[in-house]
Amino acid sequence: MRLGDDIDDYCSRCKRSTDHSIVSMVGEEVSKVRCRTCNSEHNFKHNKGSKEMTAKEAFDKVLASVTGAQQSIPETSKAKRRKK
Ligand SMILES: [Zn+2]
């Protein structure tokens, strides 16, 4: 893993996992990535959307769930589907 490599990560702008390029690293850890779809740079999220949410991301997520655009809430929706 090094600068410029391709890496999958969650993009809060695209609201899904997309191809990213590594733009910054701290030691062995990927620090920042750039989305290849929308070209926005953000901190590497380890391909998880909900680990470290900024206030804006949290707001976007709430907004998305209200408008019904958010479709990937794995654990919660699974639990709700179980009726037994
Ligand atoms: Zn993106």
Side-chain angles (χ1 to χ4, degrees), residues 14-78:
C14 300
K15 299 208 169 12
R16 63 191 177 91
S17 279
T18 60
D19 286 340
H20 286 70
S21 298
I22 300 171
V23 294
S24 178
M25 290 190 71
V26 177
E28 302 272 304
E29 297 286 313
V30 178
S31 174
K32 291 189 81 174
V33 293
R34 180 190 290 125
C35 175
R36 291 190 159 193
T37 301
C38 68
N39 273 328
S40 71
E41 282 184 28
H42 55 81
N43 291 330
F44 183 50
K45 303 177 202 304
H46 298 266
N47 214 2
K48 289 173 189 167
S50 58
K51 194 189 175 190
E52 286 180 321
M53 273 197 293
T54 64
K56 185 187 179 301
E57 284 170 334
F59 176 76
D60 284 349
K61 196 170 183 178
V62 170
L63 192 68
S65 66
V66 169
T67 56
Q70 188 85 5
Q71 292 182 343
S72 56
I73 314 168
E75 296 306 323
T76 324
S77 56
K78 248 184 203 174

